[in-house]
Amino acid sequence: MHDLPGQATSQLTAPSVAPSRHLGRITLDVRQNLPPWKQAVFVGGSLILGLAISVAILAAVGVSPVTLASELASVLTADSLRGVLVQAAPLVLVGLSASLAFRIGFWNLGLEGQMIFGGIFAAAVSIYDIGPPSTRLLMMGFGAALGGALWVLLVALLKIRFRVNEIIATLLLNYVAMYFLFHLLYGAWQDSKTAFPQSTPFRPFERLGDIGYGINGGLIVAIVSVLLAGWLIHLSRIGFYTRFISANPRMAKIVGVPVQTMTVCIIAASGACAGLAGFVNVASQEGRLTQSFSNGYVFSGVLIAFLSRNDPIVVAVVGFLIAVLFITGQTLQVFYQVPFAMVQMIEAIIVIAVASSEFLIRHRVRWIR
Amino acid sequence: MNDFLINWLANVPVTAVPYALAALGLIVSERSGVLNLTAEGLMLIGALAGAGTCLTLGGYPAIALLVAMLAASLVSLLFAILVVVLRVNQVIAGLSVVFFCQGLTGLIGTLAKWQNKQIAGLGNLKIWPLSEIPVIGRIFFMQDSVVYLTVLIFFAVNFILFRTMLGLRLRAVGENPAASDAAGVSVSLHRILAIVAGSSLIGLAGGYISVVSVKLWVTGMVGGRGWIAVALVVFARWAPWPALWGALLFGCIEALIPHVAAAGIRVPQYLMLMTPYLATIAVMVWVGAKDRRGSQEPGALGQPHVREERR
């Protein structure tokens, strides 16, 4: 037995007999664990690379890096910061929505559809005058959460009962929700005064306004949701269960974790968060139900969840940064005619860069001659 | 009523071709074991490239379709490198590529001012004397050349996949990459090849939408057809011919929408536009309810392969 290693080495060295034949090859070693600071270096490095590529593309489109820097600086002044915070609320909520679903291994890509149904339910509370004015906003919020949750539970039902792939189902239902919104806005809910495809504006007590110090009501909804989700994931038994289920669903079931119930509840919570994002957008930024209040939020939600590694507390930070990107993008759109699609592209580049860095974290690349 | 039926059926091939080609392209790459969600994005790239070529050259739809294929293949290299070389999660990589393409096409389309500009496009072919047969002539022998080409492409891809060594290797890589690797088949090479080749068909599907059927470029004009194609692949159980029948089914549904309104039947317009998406979900439910033993997807679908890693 002891001469086996010797044989093995002689076989391994065999190719080097004729080095001119080939230049060697690349092999991968699977790394078990890398120190956290090295991981951070890889992720940070790739993030910078991704941003550099984005800046290069912007420069090619005609926005010089100097202008870009000054725009970014002006976004962070007190006046624009208010706009960033208003924009951050729906982004944090969709980020929460995606991260909750991803934690349980459910690819919820129907954030836009759930936002739309959140907006529709909230608007329905306003249009049909449900409840007294003092609790109206609360009712709208609950309605929106319910709308989003019901819309995603449809997919959960399809997945559990008929094994329909949730990626495809949620994405297709986004289009269904969009056309249903159009059906309402070009039909029964159209503003009869202006004849625009919009609902009639909400009354003042139905709007999320500033509540002092430049803090928007939507931000409160987002902060409360983050704290609630953070408690749920990090401190409660439910959070422990979700980690157990995502690590090993069969074992979780065997030891008595209510896997199905937990999965459905987390999926519903995910939909509720997206519904709330719709409510926040409709009740603060727009002030009425519009055609496009949910555009571009699916991928932002996926991006935020991905970058924050599905941690609700980190979602808040990443959501804020993406809000800065959104607001900068809007400024560039207005002043430099750069289409808003640019923001979507930069988001995709960042995800691609960070996802690629995981390769270096998990593998060591070696050149064997 | 008879007129209604003929008009409807004569339009089915035009609406079915994008579904058929995109689903076929997806089947080629998924047979190699790569879960491919990029169709929506690559179809947009194909549509933009096709429309752009037509507008800059002032015609030449055949060249535009070729450019659409090339452009989609080129962009799919990004996806191939991400999932095959860097082993990024295939769902994340696919979604990123879709959103990258949505951003890129929106950006280029706006900056180059290709938005909403009419293209001459590709005309219909009359296969005389067959086109003179009363009903069948209108439906089968007065279509554009890509419709006939699509049938040929299906024969060719079916032959390559199931009758050649290349196809055998490609499917082996998708079923059991470790065994294929041990047998001396390069997993990475075959997967990259499958993604690029499949994407050229997806690009052609996109180019067909802008150059042949709609004859202009509008941002986001693919409108979810790519996702329907992804569902179609599941429905067809990764086999080419069922995908063609599925595409015809969805083509029938989509072609019906404008004709219902034109025939004066009063159905709410936006509820009508939902039908392709709802039909897709219904088909997926049907597949799930019928197929209790588990689907026939390639054994290694969605799994990256690294030789040094033991599973």
Side-chain angles (χ1 to χ4, degrees):
Chain A
M1 284 302 280
H2 280 285
D3 55 359
L4 262 177
Q7 277 183 348
T9 36
S10 69
Q11 277 174 356
L12 274 177
T13 49
S16 64
V17 175
S20 58
R21 291 270 302 280
H22 56 97
L23 294 158
R25 63 191 180 90
I26 298 169
T27 60
L28 301 177
D29 292 344
V30 178
R31 284 204 255 236
Q32 290 307 321
N33 41 28
L34 195 67
W37 71 268
K38 268 191 178 172
Q39 293 192 21
V41 166
F42 281 134
V43 173
S46 62
L47 200 60
I48 290 167
L49 182 71
L51 289 173
I53 293 170
S54 308
V55 170
I57 293 173
L58 272 173
V61 173
V63 183
S64 76
V66 183
T67 347
L68 191 66
S70 68
E71 285 302 335
L72 266 174
S74 70
V75 158
L76 292 173
T77 56
D79 209 29
S80 309
L81 205 57
R82 186 173 295 165
V84 172
L85 288 178
V86 170
Q87 180 60 69
L91 283 170
V92 168
L93 283 165
V94 288
L96 269 186
S97 172
S99 63
L100 281 174
F102 294 170
R103 268 192 173 262
I104 206 104
F106 183 86
W107 287 99
N108 181 6
L109 303 178
L111 306 176
E112 282 181 8
Q114 292 142 35
M115 276 181 81
I116 287 174
F117 268 87
I120 287 176
F121 273 52
V125 171
S126 155
I127 287 167
Y128 297 114
D129 267 326
I130 301 170
S134 56
T135 57
R136 181 61 58 81
L137 262 178
L138 213 59
M139 293 281 289
M140 285 168 75
F142 275 118
L146 184 71
L150 287 178
W151 193 241
V152 75
L153 279 178
L154 181 65
V155 181
L157 177 80
L158 290 177
K159 175 170 178 151
I160 293 167
R161 185 79 184 75
F162 300 105
R163 290 183 303 168
V164 173
N165 184 312
E166 79 271 20
I167 298 175
I168 302 168
T170 48
L171 280 164
L172 291 174
L173 283 177
N174 285 340
Y175 292 94
V176 175
M178 183 183 81
Y179 284 124
F180 186 68
L181 178 70
F182 287 2
H183 176 68
L184 289 176
L185 291 181
Y186 283 95
W189 287 9
Q190 190 166 32
D191 189 351
S192 50
K193 284 197 194 102
T194 61
F196 279 125
Q198 297 173 330
S199 73
T200 45
F202 297 157
R203 281 148 288 182
F205 59 88
E206 291 166 343
R207 295 198 54 171
L208 284 167
D210 276 1
I211 51 161
Y213 309 108
I215 296 196
N216 184 269
L219 202 63
I220 303 295
V221 178
I223 289 171
V224 169
S225 308
V226 164
L227 292 177
L228 211 64
W231 170 79
L232 199 76
I233 295 301
H234 291 300
L235 300 175
S236 77
R237 183 186 301 192
I238 294 171
F240 171 71
Y241 281 169
T242 59
R243 278 191 290 280
F244 201 162
I245 292 170
S246 66
N248 193 339
R250 274 186 58 203
M251 185 57 84
K253 196 163 192 173
I254 288 167
V255 300
V257 173
V259 175
Q260 194 122 319
T261 323
M262 285 295 310
T263 309
V264 171
C265 286
I266 294 284
I267 291 171
S270 161
C273 280
L276 278 177
F279 161 64
V280 165
N281 252 9
V282 166
S284 77
Q285 288 196 26
E286 312 272 0
R288 52 163 55 150
L289 202 58
T290 59
Q291 277 187 82
S292 57
F293 71 92
S294 68
N295 283 3
Y297 279 92
V298 170
F299 195 58
S300 306
V302 173
L303 167 87
I304 293 167
F306 177 74
L307 292 183
S308 62
R309 298 197 168 190
N310 302 339
D311 186 316
I313 308 296
V314 187
V315 161
V317 180
V318 180
F320 175 79
L321 293 175
I322 298 302
V324 173
L325 183 68
F326 256 64
I327 297 291
T328 315
Q330 280 167 8
T331 320
L332 292 181
Q333 186 179 16
V334 174
F335 293 107
Y336 302 91
Q337 276 75 49
V338 176
F340 196 67
M342 188 74 215
V343 170
Q344 213 171 21
M345 201 170 132
I346 292 175
E347 286 184 338
I349 291 171
I350 292 172
V351 171
I352 289 171
V354 173
S356 309
S357 76
E358 237 156 71
F359 172 75
L360 292 174
I361 290 172
R362 287 213 204 108
H363 306 94
R364 180 164 54 210
V365 183
R366 280 197 306 168
W367 186 267
I368 295 182
R369 291 187 68 85
Chain B
M1 196 61 208
N2 207 9
D3 247 17
F4 171 81
L5 222 83
I6 295 172
N7 278 336
W8 170 37
L9 290 180
N11 257 332
V12 167
V14 178
T15 46
V17 160
Y19 292 126
L21 286 173
L24 188 65
L26 287 173
I27 287 169
V28 169
S29 58
E30 295 208 353
R31 276 281 180 163
S32 78
V34 177
L35 178 64
N36 194 340
L37 297 178
T38 58
E40 180 78 12
L42 293 179
M43 281 171 87
L44 278 170
I45 294 280
L48 179 82
T53 311
C54 265
L55 285 171
T56 37
L57 295 185
Y60 305 107
I63 296 174
L65 291 175
L66 273 179
V67 172
M69 292 175 80
L70 276 175
S73 298
L74 207 66
V75 176
S76 78
L77 267 178
L78 173 71
F79 177 67
I81 289 168
L82 282 176
V83 297
V84 178
V85 181
L86 296 178
R87 304 176 68 225
V88 172
N89 178 311
Q90 296 181 357
V91 177
I92 289 281
L95 287 175
S96 307
V97 169
V98 170
F99 286 94
F100 175 76
C101 294
Q102 286 185 344
L104 186 69
T105 52
L107 189 69
I108 295 176
T110 314
L111 290 178
K113 300 198 168 64
W114 287 338
Q115 189 80 314
N116 280 323
K117 277 191 184 157
Q118 203 76 35
I119 303 168
L122 197 64
N124 282 4
L125 222 62
K126 270 190 190 169
I127 305 180
W128 196 86
L130 294 172
S131 58
E132 300 304 312
I133 306 170
V135 176
I136 298 166
R138 265 287 314 275
I139 299 172
F140 292 104
F141 302 107
M142 279 175 74
Q143 302 292 343
D144 55 82
S145 45
V146 183
V147 171
Y148 307 114
L149 187 68
T150 301
V151 180
L152 289 182
I153 290 174
F154 264 79
F155 274 108
V157 171
N158 204 56
F159 180 80
I160 292 170
L161 262 183
F162 298 107
R163 294 280 180 278
T164 64
M165 204 59 198
L166 180 69
L168 179 66
R169 289 195 180 121
L170 202 146
R171 286 181 292 131
V173 161
E175 287 297 337
N176 193 338
S180 319
D181 197 8
V185 179
S186 167
V187 177
S188 309
L189 188 71
H190 281 84
R191 285 189 168 172
I192 291 174
L193 195 75
I195 291 171
V196 172
S199 301
S200 70
L201 293 178
I202 300 171
L204 180 60
Y208 184 84
I209 295 175
S210 69
V211 176
V212 184
S213 71
V214 184
K215 296 195 171 67
L216 51 84
W217 160 258
V218 187
T219 303
M221 70 183 301
V222 173
R225 289 189 184 88
W227 301 119
I228 293 180
V230 172
L232 199 54
V233 173
V234 181
F235 164 73
R237 296 162 156 221
W238 290 267
W241 292 116
L244 186 60
W245 309 136
L248 281 174
L249 173 73
F250 285 126
C252 283
I253 296 168
E254 204 187 307
L256 193 60
I257 297 171
H259 288 288
V260 165
I265 304 167
R266 292 196 58 80
V267 182
Q269 180 194 359
Y270 291 106
L271 298 187
M272 198 67 199
L273 287 172
M274 287 180 191
T275 42
Y277 310 102
L278 289 175
T280 311
I281 293 172
V283 163
M284 302 266 304
V285 167
W286 180 64
V287 170
K290 186 187 63 161
D291 191 17
R292 279 275 161 222
R293 289 171 295 116
S295 61
Q296 295 175 332
E297 61 179 41
L301 189 69
Q303 291 167 18
H305 172 68
V306 157
R307 184 181 291 161
E308 287 80 1
E309 191 170 78
R310 288 180 188 279
R311 290 186 172 275

